[in-house]
Amino acid sequence: MKPDSIEGLEKRVFRLSTGHGGWDLYLGLLLAAIGASALAEDLGRGDSSIWLVVIMAVALAMLFAVEQLIIRPRIGNVKFGARRKANLRSVSAIIGSALLVGLLVWVIYTASSHILRWTTILPVLLWVVVSLSGFSLAAYLLGMPQLYLYGLLYAVGFASLELIQIPVTRALPVLVCGLLIIAIGIARFVRFLRKYPRVEPMP
Amino acid sequence: MSGAESDNDMVSRVTNLDATIHTPARLAIMAYLYVVDSADYIFLMRLSGLTWGNLATHLGKLEEAGYVAIEKEFRNKKPYSMVQLTSSGREAFRKYKDSLKEILNELPD
């Protein structure tokens, strides 16, 4: 057994545990929710932040239900070792701090946008950098290459939302990027269901 | 060392490999448990491709040898078990891996 194959084995275990498409669906729903909430606001259907919170809460509840009722009965449960847990903690910390920095700069920008009119590009650049770096680091640390693509789609979505100044049209690229991730998630989920049918209970 | 002595040494090292681990199914179970903290029966079944019966038999043998600890409980009135390598199991697997690596490295190409 080669020394590096132990790491390969751990990656295989992690892929089995997370390769069901549930997280892809969740990330796609989040992005689509941002697009949908912007669209709802542009169409005069209420405050976008309320829509966003509602859709995000529903997506999280759905992910939890799918995990408990469909995924776990098919592949079971595993607790990872210290190294993987440390990687997961690092990813959470990176994404958390990236979002915090993004939010902070956005708040500062919004509050002072009348002074900083020349910096329309600033929040766009910021969200692009946050999306690309956050997702890329997560992809590298967790060994999930699809996260590179999701980072790019999030970056394109955020950029178009800020750069396109036409109501309704500005929300469409975000929605499309979100739907693309959802489509990948559905494909992975269907493949998972076909590959792992429900296990008969232990006799 | 003469060729015959070297062959005998090789044979004795192969026969001295830990027989509890040196079975494809148990080796797979030990290897997967080595890289995680713990896993339940369904997860091990999916990874190893074994049936319930086979998995239970092999885990029983590993538990008997003190290599794994099986924590049994009931969830929604159904039996549920989490399996974990014990420290002696982890040490035995490491030793087995090193011995096998040495033997394989000495074989001619």
Side-chain angles (χ1 to χ4, degrees):
Chain A
M1 194 175 283
K2 287 179 192 168
D4 64 343
S5 67
I6 284 289
E7 204 174 301
L9 212 60
E10 202 267 350
K11 277 184 183 162
R12 195 185 160 214
V13 174
F14 188 71
R15 270 202 300 273
L16 172 64
S17 179
T18 56
H20 43 68
W23 282 102
D24 309 69
L25 281 169
Y26 178 68
L27 289 171
L29 272 170
L30 281 190
L31 191 58
I34 293 167
S37 63
L39 193 67
E41 195 175 69
D42 290 349
L43 293 171
R45 301 281 167 96
D47 185 5
S48 67
S49 52
I50 296 168
W51 280 96
L52 192 61
V53 169
V54 168
I55 299 174
M56 278 165 90
V58 170
L60 201 63
M62 270 172 61
L63 178 70
F64 182 76
V66 165
E67 178 109 19
Q68 292 303 313
L69 301 172
I70 301 173
I71 295 167
R72 291 302 144 205
R74 282 175 162 78
I75 55 162
N77 287 293
V78 63
K79 285 180 187 163
F80 288 97
R83 196 172 157 192
R84 175 66 68 176
K85 278 182 188 163
N87 277 354
L88 287 169
R89 271 197 301 273
S90 305
V91 168
S92 308
I94 288 163
I95 291 175
S97 350
L99 283 174
L100 212 67
V101 169
L103 207 69
L104 200 70
V105 175
W106 182 75
V107 167
I108 294 168
Y109 174 80
T110 311
S112 58
S113 57
H114 59 286
I115 307 165
L116 303 168
R117 285 204 185 279
W118 55 275
T119 56
T120 318
I121 203 78
L122 183 70
V124 180
L125 258 176
L126 181 83
W127 279 113
V128 166
V129 169
V130 165
S131 304
L132 287 177
S133 56
F135 275 96
S136 299
L137 272 168
Y140 174 74
L141 285 172
L142 299 178
M144 295 169 85
Q146 77 270 28
L147 292 180
Y148 289 113
L149 173 68
Y150 297 172
L152 191 70
L153 290 171
Y154 263 73
V156 169
F158 286 138
S160 62
L161 199 61
E162 290 293 331
L163 291 177
I164 301 171
Q165 302 287 327
I166 310 157
V168 179
T169 311
R170 71 181 180 121
L172 296 179
V174 195
L175 210 56
V176 169
C177 288
L179 290 175
L180 207 64
I181 301 178
I182 290 174
I184 295 170
I186 290 172
R188 288 169 74 99
F189 190 59
V190 168
R191 195 180 58 185
F192 168 82
L193 292 179
R194 287 169 120 176
K195 197 171 174 186
Y196 302 107
R198 217 179 161 89
V199 178
E200 289 300 314
M202 196 168 21
Chain B
M1 199 187 283
S2 71
E5 276 176 343
S6 161
D7 285 350
N8 281 341
D9 181 48
M10 177 75 84
V11 169
S12 80
R13 277 159 63 193
V14 171
T15 49
N16 281 339
L17 280 172
D18 192 333
T20 311
I21 304 176
H22 196 60
T23 304
R26 289 201 285 272
L27 177 59
I29 294 169
M30 290 287 286
Y32 284 123
L33 286 174
Y34 186 75
V35 296
V36 298
D37 181 54
S38 57
D40 67 6
Y41 269 47
I42 299 178
F43 203 86
L44 285 174
M45 208 172 84
R46 287 300 190 199
L47 282 170
S48 63
L50 296 169
T51 59
W52 278 126
N54 269 334
L55 182 66
T57 307
H58 288 300
L59 282 175
K61 285 190 177 158
L62 290 171
E63 192 182 22
E64 224 170 79
Y67 290 171
V68 299
I70 305 174
E71 201 180 297
K72 291 173 182 162
E73 58 178 88
F74 279 88
R75 281 190 186 177
N76 300 323
K77 295 178 184 175
K78 285 175 192 164
Y80 180 80
S81 307
M82 279 302 267
V83 188
Q84 189 172 28
L85 272 193
T86 60
S87 50
S88 64
R90 203 161 275 277
E91 185 51 42
F93 182 76
R94 200 175 294 133
K95 219 166 138 186
Y96 172 86
K97 187 164 71 82
D98 291 342
S99 309
L100 193 63
K101 209 185 327 181
E102 259 178 47
I103 293 168
L104 292 175
N105 282 342
E106 282 173 27
L107 284 176
D109 287 332

